[in-house]
Amino acid sequence: MSQPRRSFSRGPLSGSDAQIEAIEELRDHFKLSTDELKQFRDDLRSEMEMGLKAKKSHMAMLPSWICKHPTGQEIGEYLGLELSGSNIRIYLVNVLGKGRISTRQQKFVIGDHLKKGSITDMIDFLAESVDSFLSFVGKYDIQDPLALGFVLSFPLEQTAINKATVIQWTKDFEITGADGKNIAELLQIGLKRRHIPVVVEAVINGAVGCLLAHSYRSLDTLVACTISTGTNAAYWEKIEETTHTKQTLPPCSDGETIINTEWGSFGDDNPALLPRTFYDNRVNRQSVNPGVHIFEKMVSGLYLGEIARIIMVDFLDRRLLFDGQYTPEMNTPYLFEASYISAIGSDDTPDLEATKHILESVMNLPSTTLSDRQLVRTICELVSQRAARLVAAAMSAIIDKRNALEEGLTISMEGAVYEHIPNFPRRINDALRAIYGDRVEHINIGITRDGNGIGAGLAAMIAIEQKGK
């Protein structure tokens, strides 16, 4: 006798008893109560405070050497060079005053051989791309060199605004030969070798760039949060709180400096602080960097699709999906991308046609039932919902650290996960409301587009100001 079919997700959906039981068990694993969010917030704040005091913490709380808020009234022309995920982007940043900025930009694809090659090859590629961009914007024959800010979405150890080494190549980068070397100096040498009229004035982390970019137009911006290929946050901190760096930071009339939290590595030294599941453990264990950036692996775009894929494979093994049919694509790590979660979450057709296309045409499954597609949609929803709630809890740790809620604050958000996964912003807001109640109205959240590159240009501007030029 066939099993009765019941609903297991939103809408008129149905599944077998075994599927219902499995999805409810999965829901329990991925559910985070308000108390759990608050505990996560408190634990992350404790790690922040240890990092600021140079005590043992995997949240490095790195100083940016940006010690001056933009006023929104500055005027000038600067270059921004961004190295992050699959591309580099180069920006001509025109700072216009009154909080206004205009840009021209160009994108260059980073080949896998560069991601896993030598720093020399990467620097050559960057210099060649800058050279090409200057021709593109008609700046090739300029007499006065342009100031450039170099933004990298990797943890940086800095001893000055233009002296930085990459602590660790994360995401899918495995670049060799850069250990202990000043990345700004390497880039400057590469530019000089080609007689390119550009001066590398600043090196910053991507989250620092986003914070600068949003601060130029909204002076009350406290935090910038990136949820893209990876995740990170930067915020304005009082200099007296940075006890391990305040003696060496340059004079700062504002009394504040930007701290790059590197919160993606929260929990690396104590994984028990993270609400991990069997699936998270498998993603971490099978990644190129096991035990590194464990929190990032629970919320960022590089890993959300992989978490969903591993859940689907587990359900396949239990013959709860696709009638137990495997394909090479479904068995290939990272082939199920976060963009598919976005498409599936946006699929409101009665038969989930977009979901069917992804599963049958991209993942090459011979056939799927409506129940299969509904189950996959629910898996994707649970993975993305948990990510949004964890990010909200992490943001609240910074808000509480600065005691900023009563006066009000602005948070800058950036990244494909936040911008493109359906309901991600709403789920962050819902989690913040669960934590703060009606006081959540004191938080304004805005999106910063092209924040890395714009912030790099602004960093070059501030570096010149800090030198007294």
Side-chain angles (χ1 to χ4, degrees), residues 7-14 374 377:
S7 170
F8 60 70
S9 185
R10 58 179 169 83
L13 312 179
S14 61
Q374 291 166 344
R377 182 175 66 180

Side-chain angles (χ1 to χ4, degrees), residues 24-67:
E24 289 305 321
E25 181 183 8
L26 187 70
R27 202 183 301 276
D28 287 342
H29 286 317
F30 279 77
K31 182 180 179 183
L32 292 169
S33 68
T34 301
D35 286 343
E36 287 173 314
L37 293 178
K38 289 179 177 179
Q39 185 62 55
F40 182 89
R41 171 200 64 192
D42 295 343
D43 290 338
L44 194 146
R45 179 178 173 179
S46 295
E47 286 288 312
M48 288 174 59
E49 290 174 342
M50 284 194 292
L52 286 171
K53 293 177 172 62
K55 294 183 179 178
K56 179 176 173 54
S57 170
H58 276 266
M59 280 184 63
M61 304 299 288
L62 301 169
S64 65
W65 297 80
I66 300 288
C67 292

Side-chain angles (χ1 to χ4, degrees), residues 73-291:
Q73 301 305 317
E74 297 93 341
I75 295 173
E77 187 174 62
Y78 307 92
L79 288 175
L81 169 61
E82 176 190 357
L83 171 62
S84 55
S86 302
N87 309 296
I88 67 163
R89 287 181 171 86
I90 307 175
Y91 300 75
L92 182 65
V93 181
N94 285 292
V95 185
L96 305 172
K98 298 182 180 179
R100 295 175 300 122
I101 289 172
S102 68
T103 65
R104 293 183 68 185
Q105 62 174 282
Q106 199 172 19
K107 179 174 73 174
F108 301 84
V109 177
I110 305 171
D112 286 340
H113 68 287
L114 290 172
K115 291 183 180 183
K116 303 184 188 307
S118 71
I119 189 63
T120 302
D121 290 342
M122 178 61 78
I123 291 294
D124 285 344
F125 174 66
L126 295 175
E128 289 167 8
S129 300
V130 170
D131 198 14
S132 175
F133 178 74
L134 290 176
S135 295
F136 172 70
V137 295
K139 295 287 183 181
Y140 195 79
D141 293 324
I142 54 176
Q143 299 302 310
D144 296 324
L146 279 169
L148 178 143
F150 186 18
V151 57
L152 299 92
S153 295
F154 304 98
L156 302 173
E157 183 73 51
Q158 292 196 245
T159 56
I161 197 168
N162 63 348
K163 294 180 181 176
T165 58
V166 177
I167 296 173
Q168 186 167 47
W169 297 98
T170 54
K171 309 181 184 80
D172 54 347
F173 282 72
E174 299 175 45
I175 291 176
T176 58
D179 294 353
K181 294 180 180 177
N182 178 6
I183 199 79
E185 184 179 15
L186 294 176
L187 178 59
Q188 189 68 73
I189 291 170
L191 293 168
K192 282 184 177 179
R193 197 158 52 231
R194 286 166 178 74
H195 307 288
I196 300 170
V198 168
V199 178
V200 183
E201 293 283 2
V203 181
I204 58 170
N205 174 270
V208 174
C210 287
L211 181 52
L212 273 178
H214 209 277
S215 293
Y216 184 81
R217 74 180 194 197
S218 298
L219 302 183
D220 68 342
T221 306
L222 176 71
V223 185
C225 174
T226 296
I227 326 167
S228 188
T229 308
T231 186
N232 196 14
Y235 74 105
W236 290 100
E237 180 59 273
K238 294 179 180 178
I239 282 201
E240 60 261 29
E241 293 292 313
T242 62
T243 54
H244 63 310
T245 56
K246 67 180 181 180
Q247 300 302 322
T248 54
L249 287 172
C252 176
S253 58
D254 295 321
E256 293 187 346
T257 186
I258 296 179
I259 295 294
N260 165 23
T261 66
E262 287 300 325
W263 75 9
S265 58
F266 173 58
D268 284 6
D269 60 337
N270 187 0
L273 296 177
L274 296 170
R276 296 171 304 144
T277 66
F278 157 82
Y279 306 107
D280 299 301
N281 290 337
R282 177 169 287 186
V283 167
N284 176 48
R285 189 174 68 251
Q286 296 176 349
S287 67
V288 298
N289 54 352

